[in-house]
Amino acid sequence: MTTIQASRSADTAPRPTGTPVPPAGPTWRQRLSQWDFRWSPYLYVLPFFLLFAAVGLYPMVYSGYLSFFSWPRYGVTHGEGVGFANYAHVLTDPVFHKAFWNTVGIFLLSSVPQVVIATVIAAMLDTPLRGRTWWRMSVLLPFVVAPAATALIFGSIFADRTGLANELLRAVGLSGIEWHSDRFASWTAIATMVNYRWTGYNTLIILAALQAIPRQLYEAAAMDGASRVEQFFHVTLPSIRPTMLFVIITATIGGMQIFTEPRLFDTNLQFQGGADYQYLTLTMYVFNTSNSGTDPYPRAAAATWIIVLIIVAIALVNYLVTRQVQRRSER
Amino acid sequence: MRQFTTRRGVTVGAALALVTGLTAACGGGSEAAQTPLGQDDVLTITTFSDFGYDQLIEQWNADPERPFTVEMTKIADWDPWKQALTQKLQAGSGLTDIVAVEGDAMPQFLSEGASDQFVDLADPSVEDRWVEYAYQNGQTADGKQVGYPTDAGPEAFCYRADLFEEAGLPSDREEVEAIFETWDSYFAAGEELTAALPGTKWYDSSGSIAQAMLNQAEFPFQTEDGTVDVENPELELVWDTVTSYSSTLSPRVVQWKEDWTANFTNDGFATMPCPGWMFSNIKSNAPEVEGWDIVNAFPGGGGNWGGSYLAVPATSQHQEEAKQFADWLTDAEQQLAAFEAAGNYPANVEAQQSLAEAGATDPYFNDAPTAVILADRAAAVEPGRPYKGDKYSDILGLFQTAIQRVDEGAAPDESWETFTQAVESLS
């Protein structure tokens, strides 16, 4: 079996012209190096796929399977199949609806300013500053701070009665804001934490793209009399479109998965995202459902799959919109 | 092309084989294999808040004669630990050899299915160690002992004598007893104090007063046969009282959170229900404040808030040693040490007696005779009140959340509506 295969592959393998045909089959050494050439790349990428299968694919498939069963609290195994009942429960749950809009709201309040500010900062860092590396490294500093630490710091800044934010507001004669009970205020507070953490990260990615833009474009634009601002809108932005796409898509995925910030911001002892679910996000919903009294795991699994479908739908819209934009700019 | 397809077939096959292999590896193995511990092996325990065990464990580990060493994980608050504990129980892995369980949540872990996940700790040699109701609350209906009681939570009231004086109220420990006689006299004095001191509220949070009143109710959430019934006059009285005073007497903050902690040092409130385990919280939140005192009275008689248990999960691989250590921790001598360290009033009968005899006082609380006060408060508790069904802890959480909504400005009727809906979806 092996010999047949080996000789066939030896026959079919392209041979550089001019080399003399070896009298017998390939030597052991040659065969080894052929195998090496053919299979090694797969071995190199294999660890990722093994890891993905174990911690990514398997839980996904299993939770999909689980979402069609009942599972008594503290039960050791799942119970009877219940069809789509778990999906129906989640989709008709008013708390889930609230979690959905909370997530969308927090996502918009964080991603939009984040990408805009990151682009502006990146454009400023792209100019010949003194101590450039120092400035560039410092924008990444908030990203290095552990999210839990960030959330604790901002938690005390946005405390309703004694927080720094409200102290400042009162100092200038305004009334304090109920950061935890007002829905929009709570979204803003959480979005601030997200922006604090991720703006610098996105800035560096955009900066890398900016530096790849040929300088002649700017020179030509300058000669045509374009101001710095005009250059930014007509040279810079069109040139970094693919990078912007990457930033926007990763921000979307991150935004739909937001968990740590609202969870640590929570003053509710049940961690239900505020006493009235003001800032319960989708992932918090999944987490809390997996802890509830009835069918905890299957309902959480169903909610997870609904979120997957939501993310896919958003990604699809993203894709269609950007393709449209790309086409228009090519025309 | 054909070559490519065959190769892909092989790869997919290999991946599938791998996934099924992993699936098989994850399942199975419900009975934990027991392994004995040597002198340097580690037994693990998780507690929350402050059980007063730090020095005890240090002392145990320093002893050259100890059979094994112990490592304790301390979680700051009960609520996150409750979630972690519940999830790890369901997952069937990831728990330490001993876990601490808060008393209100104990019934939930005694229910069918849940109690199977714990080791039976019943042992004739320790049966009479604890006050009876505490011991029985750690027991399933068919007599399996899931938890050893650690502390009990008889409540007194802690108050700021300095603020009382400023507001023109009596401030002496015996004189203020009249204020804490009934709930009516308590709230009336509160209105007097808040009128005199506009920057100060009467109690620490609506939640703690609700908890205190609930602990005097007979069947707040579930009837004796386990039926959920939240629309009963007892619970409605608690709800109406607490929500009606929300805007006048309550600082409208959530217990254990930033704003609550801050109020300890900025004269934010003047009184709070005070089970023994609350002492260490007050001391750590207000180390510099002078004027704290404890009154030997509680509105409407008595009340028991909390009290915890030590349990051994069935997943533990060292169940014998875990039981041995839980036994040691709940013995009189160790319980006395825990009282000294954290104020946790022991459920251990012998420890209670020697505390009463020694008559310990606490300099932080103006030399109040804490041991005597807590003993008197324990005697005032009506055993079996409130009745705690399997959903007690879950509904209690929803009830506290409903009160939080009113504190945050929601209309009481709407918040009550949301509460009853949430209770319905529990089943």
Side-chain angles (χ1 to χ4, degrees), chain A:
Chain A
M1 183 67 193
T2 4
T3 33
I4 299 169
Q5 240 180 5
S7 64
R8 190 184 14 166
S9 61
D11 285 343
T12 49
R15 214 171 269 131
T17 46
T19 31
V21 181
T27 65
W28 174 243
R29 240 170 192 290
Q30 280 174 318
R31 240 184 284 167
L32 265 187
S33 86
Q34 267 175 2
W35 288 343
D36 178 33
F37 184 75
R38 180 166 290 172
W39 297 108
S40 293
Y42 292 99
L43 274 181
Y44 295 145
V45 296
L46 193 61
F48 167 77
F49 285 97
L50 291 184
L51 207 65
F52 173 72
V55 302
L57 189 65
Y58 167 66
M60 264 179 87
V61 172
Y62 185 64
S63 66
Y65 164 80
L66 206 59
S67 62
F68 296 102
F69 291 87
S70 67
W71 189 319
R73 195 178 199 182
Y74 305 119
V76 185
T77 51
H78 64 72
E80 294 162 26
V82 292
F84 282 91
N86 292 317
Y87 287 90
H89 173 89
V90 172
L91 285 174
T92 54
D93 186 355
V95 177
F96 182 80
H97 300 162
K98 252 189 158 166
F100 175 77
W101 290 114
N102 290 344
T103 310
V104 171
I106 295 171
F107 160 66
L108 288 178
L109 281 176
S110 56
S111 301
V112 176
Q114 197 183 112
V115 173
V116 172
I117 295 170
T119 314
V120 173
I121 298 178
M124 294 197 296
L125 287 179
D126 195 32
T127 55
L129 282 172
R130 204 176 291 169
R132 242 183 305 182
T133 319
W134 186 83
W135 286 108
R136 285 174 189 174
M137 290 323 291
S138 30
V139 297
L140 200 62
L141 201 64
F143 186 69
V144 188
V145 179
T150 311
L152 284 178
I153 295 165
F154 280 85
S156 64
I157 290 179
F158 291 115
D160 294 312
R161 304 272 174 276
T162 50
L164 181 67
N166 276 350
E167 299 270 332
L168 288 176
L169 286 176
R170 282 191 218 109
V172 294
L174 296 168
S175 60
I177 293 172
E178 299 286 332
W179 293 107
H180 288 85
S181 52
D182 184 82
R183 207 170 171 197
F184 186 76
S186 70
W187 293 356
T188 314
I190 293 165
T192 311
M193 294 183 214
V194 179
N195 290 341
Y196 168 78
R197 198 165 128 72
W198 288 94
T199 306
Y201 173 85
N202 287 325
T203 303
L204 286 198
I205 292 179
I206 295 171
L207 178 63
L210 289 183
Q211 294 190 319
I213 302 173
R215 298 286 129 170
Q216 297 95 309
L217 287 180
Y218 289 105
E219 283 163 23
M223 257 184 271
D224 286 343
S227 71
R228 292 302 292 251
V229 177
E230 281 170 327
Q231 286 176 26
F232 179 77
F233 280 104
H234 293 104
V235 178
T236 310
L237 281 187
S239 312
I240 59 168
R241 197 179 289 122
T243 308
M244 292 296 277
L245 255 179
F246 170 80
V247 168
I248 289 168
I249 287 175
T250 47
T252 311
I253 295 171
M256 298 310 283
Q257 294 179 334
I258 180 169
F259 178 81
T260 314
E261 285 87 353
R263 161 105 181 174
L264 289 171
F265 180 70
D266 209 341
T267 52
N268 180 261
L269 296 177
Q270 309 304 303
F271 299 103
Q272 56 174 41
D276 204 17
Y277 313 103
Q278 292 97 327
Y279 42 91
L280 178 80
T281 61
L282 287 171
T283 37
M284 283 169 88
Y285 179 87
V286 171
F287 187 85
N288 290 352
T289 306
S290 75
N291 215 344
S292 64
T294 317
D295 292 338
Y297 284 172
R299 282 180 184 174
T304 317
W305 269 97
I306 293 169
I307 296 173
V308 168
L309 294 182
I310 292 173
I311 293 182
V312 169
I314 293 177
L316 211 64
V317 170
N318 245 337
Y319 170 75
L320 292 176
V321 169
T322 48
R323 203 176 57 167
Q324 211 59 36
V325 172
Q326 206 89 4
R327 276 218 194 115
R328 198 173 300 159
S329 69
E330 273 163 14
R331 219 177 278 154

